[in-house]
Amino acid sequence: MLAPEGDLPVAGQAPRRRADAQRNHERVLCTARRLFAERGPQQVSMDLIAAEAGVGKGTIFRAFGDKSGLVGTILGDDESLLQDALIRGPSPLGPGAPPLDRIVAFGEAYMDFLESHLDLMLASELGLGVRFAKGPFQLYRTHVSLLVREALGDSDVDADYTADVLLTPLAADFFAYQRRGRRRSIEELCDAYRCLAARVLTGR
């Protein structure tokens, strides 16, 4: 027996359940972004997100695992733009500039990212070593390590360790301390990072 015409699948059209799931996914992300911005991640529960988004809490857990997974998804979506700029964007952030200039440009761009996502970054980095195990950090570490090797040439300096040193001021907790504890401006921090990178890579 043939199915009623209205129940037949249409070529190129995603199944209805998948479309509904995608709408729920986007609704949860939009709601979470808004609530995190209004109240801070620590003050927002999964129950509240579910209620505001009009979905069951189980829907969120199935899609994101837990709140840290939801935070990570939001950060990942935004951070992918920075990662793309590193790989194929205009110099000095993208390819084509001297290594020192690229490292400084990366530091400045990442501090801008931290400035606009700081509470989310702090929430995502709770726990010793969590930041170092994440995919984005591994990408940045490889990026900076390669630039350090390019800058130092045949030097016997440990490029991987040097990259870790240059990434340390870009940790969310360190940045938060400088901005909120020491009350340093973004301009001051960018100038300080530029001086640090130049001293490490050129000795000046």
Side-chain angles (χ1 to χ4, degrees):
M1 179 176 178
L2 293 176
E5 184 175 344
D7 293 338
L8 293 175
V10 178
Q13 178 176 300
R16 181 172 299 174
R17 180 180 298 177
R18 184 174 178 181
D20 290 345
Q22 181 61 31
R23 283 193 292 272
N24 286 340
H25 186 89
E26 293 172 357
R27 188 181 302 119
V28 168
L29 287 177
C30 289
T31 301
R33 280 180 183 275
R34 174 177 59 79
L35 291 173
F36 290 155
E38 291 173 355
R39 308 186 185 196
Q42 302 301 333
Q43 307 304 317
V44 177
S45 68
M46 296 290 267
D47 288 316
L48 177 60
I49 295 171
E52 291 279 325
V55 302
K57 189 165 68 171
T59 298
I60 303 180
F61 280 108
R62 284 192 296 273
F64 303 101
D66 55 19
K67 189 164 76 172
S68 65
L70 178 55
V71 169
T73 299
I74 292 173
L75 287 172
D77 288 347
D78 294 351
E79 208 161 2
S80 64
L81 299 175
L82 173 59
Q83 294 164 7
D84 187 67
L86 289 179
I87 297 169
R88 58 182 65 88
S91 64
L93 184 56
L100 175 58
D101 293 344
R102 292 200 68 194
I103 289 173
V104 170
F106 165 68
E108 293 175 344
Y110 198 75
M111 281 191 270
D112 284 341
F113 181 84
L114 284 170
E115 179 72 4
S116 58
H117 296 79
L118 186 53
D119 288 326
L120 288 175
M121 291 293 289
L122 290 170
S124 74
E125 292 184 7
L126 296 177
L128 182 62
V130 170
R131 175 175 184 256
F132 303 106
K134 290 186 176 181
F137 178 82
Q138 297 303 320
L139 171 65
Y140 301 142
R141 189 174 188 272
T142 299
H143 175 69
V144 176
S145 293
L146 291 172
L147 292 174
V148 169
R149 288 187 175 90
E150 183 182 347
L152 298 180
D154 295 331
S155 169
D156 59 359
V157 171
D158 187 325
D160 290 335
Y161 183 83
T162 302
D164 287 337
V165 169
L166 291 171
L167 287 167
T168 296
L170 305 180
D173 55 353
F174 184 88
F175 182 82
Y177 166 68
Q178 295 294 327
R179 288 287 286 129
R180 298 174 178 178
R182 300 292 303 278
R183 302 291 183 183
R184 292 178 179 269
S185 68
I186 289 290
E187 291 75 16
E188 289 174 322
L189 293 179
C190 286
D191 287 343
Y193 191 81
R194 190 178 303 110
C195 291
L196 171 66
R199 178 60 61 91
V200 168
L201 296 181
T202 69
R204 299 194 296 273

